[in-house]
Amino acid sequence: MPYVFIHGLGQTASSWNETIKYMKIDNMSFCPDLFGMLKDKEFNYQNLYQGFTEYCSQFSEPVHICGLSLGGILALQYAVEYKSEVKSLVLIGTQYTMPKNLISFQNLIFRFMPEFMFKKIGAGKKDLINLSDSMKKLDFSSRLKNINCPVMVICGKRDNANKKASISLSKIISRAEFSSIEKSGHEVNLQAPKRLAEVLNSFYDKIF
């Protein structure tokens, strides 16, 4: 059964390499390049989500989906709208109602960063600002109870911006549990890959 790992806004598909190295899923892991899905398209959330759903349609059986931040938001919406296609769901540092002030602050930081820092992830500064702005009205709070697969909600212990939302998610979704990763901030897959892999392995072992 396929395992799909979705990276965050400032990451690339390779951001999952170290975590997957410690996992017990053989050759069934898939790490899509999110921004590659937006080639020749306007950088906005709707186009990105459409590209993600098209990517998932290639699989002939339900998938295990694990997403961080932006990847978690995509995974969350997909699980709400295609619940029969999702075997399990892992949400890392994920918001379910977009914090508009946090997005605006993030975009302010982006504006002061040099352009070359964005090119390495396959997107320009303006692209990521437009993408972030297009997410401000997202709100999945009324549909979270539609999710009926096993769910693991994860947050880095130092990820103060997303901790409250993560704990709330784990309480609202009926089959969810919560895990806090020590000595990690938001990018758990980069800052604590081995510990993250241990949590994921334990979660997936319980499903089978």
Side-chain angles (χ1 to χ4, degrees):
M1 195 167 287
Y3 295 76
V4 178
F5 296 86
I6 323 165
H7 63 80
L9 185 65
Q11 298 186 343
T12 65
S14 65
S15 299
W16 287 106
N17 289 354
E18 193 70 13
T19 300
I20 292 172
K21 183 175 75 174
Y22 295 108
M23 295 190 65
K24 302 181 293 185
I25 52 177
D26 300 321
N27 296 317
M28 293 302 293
S29 63
F30 299 85
C31 304
D33 171 19
L34 292 183
F35 305 130
M37 297 176 182
L38 288 171
K39 285 181 179 177
D40 304 320
K41 294 182 180 179
E42 181 183 349
F43 265 67
N44 62 48
Y45 179 81
Q46 187 55 42
N47 284 339
L48 182 59
Y49 179 66
Q50 181 180 349
F52 178 67
T53 58
E54 290 171 358
Y55 175 87
C56 290
S57 68
Q58 70 179 292
F59 301 109
S60 59
E61 55 188 327
V63 295
H64 298 277
I65 303 182
C66 174
L68 182 146
S69 195
L70 169 61
I73 294 166
L74 291 166
L76 184 61
Q77 182 171 359
Y78 189 78
V80 166
E81 297 181 353
Y82 298 90
K83 58 184 181 180
S84 64
E85 304 300 321
V86 181
K87 184 70 174 178
S88 73
L89 182 65
V90 177
L91 304 170
I92 306 173
T94 300
Q95 297 279 344
Y96 59 93
T97 299
M98 296 308 105
K100 297 180 180 63
N101 291 339
L102 184 60
I103 291 176
S104 295
F105 179 69
Q106 173 186 269
N107 283 348
L108 180 63
I109 293 174
F110 282 166
R111 288 187 173 92
F112 286 97
M113 292 170 62
E115 187 70 35
F116 77 86
M117 295 185 69
F118 296 87
K119 293 301 182 183
K120 61 184 179 182
I121 62 172
K125 179 191 298 192
K126 184 178 179 181
D127 292 331
L128 290 195
I129 291 173
N130 288 343
L131 175 58
S132 295
D133 279 337
S134 71
M135 297 171 62
K136 286 183 175 179
K137 294 183 179 180
L138 295 178
D139 185 350
F140 304 110
S141 55
S142 64
R143 297 192 284 170
L144 294 177
K145 293 186 178 179
N146 291 350
I147 299 173
N148 55 16
C149 65
V151 179
M152 170 62 77
V153 181
I154 298 172
C155 191
K157 192 167 185 179
R158 298 172 182 167
D159 185 7
N160 295 322
N162 296 288
K163 189 177 299 181
K164 183 178 179 180
S166 294
I167 293 172
S168 294
L169 268 176
S170 69
K171 292 179 179 178
I172 297 170
I173 300 174
S174 61
R175 299 179 65 188
E177 55 185 297
F178 176 76
S179 181
S180 179
I181 304 294
E182 296 282 343
K183 300 179 181 180
S184 179
H186 184 50
E187 296 184 286
V188 181
N189 55 349
L190 296 177
Q191 297 168 1
K194 188 172 183 180
R195 177 57 187 149
L196 175 58
E198 290 171 352
V199 172
L200 294 176
N201 283 332
S202 177
F203 173 63
Y204 293 134
D205 283 345
K206 286 189 291 186
I207 294 173
F208 296 105

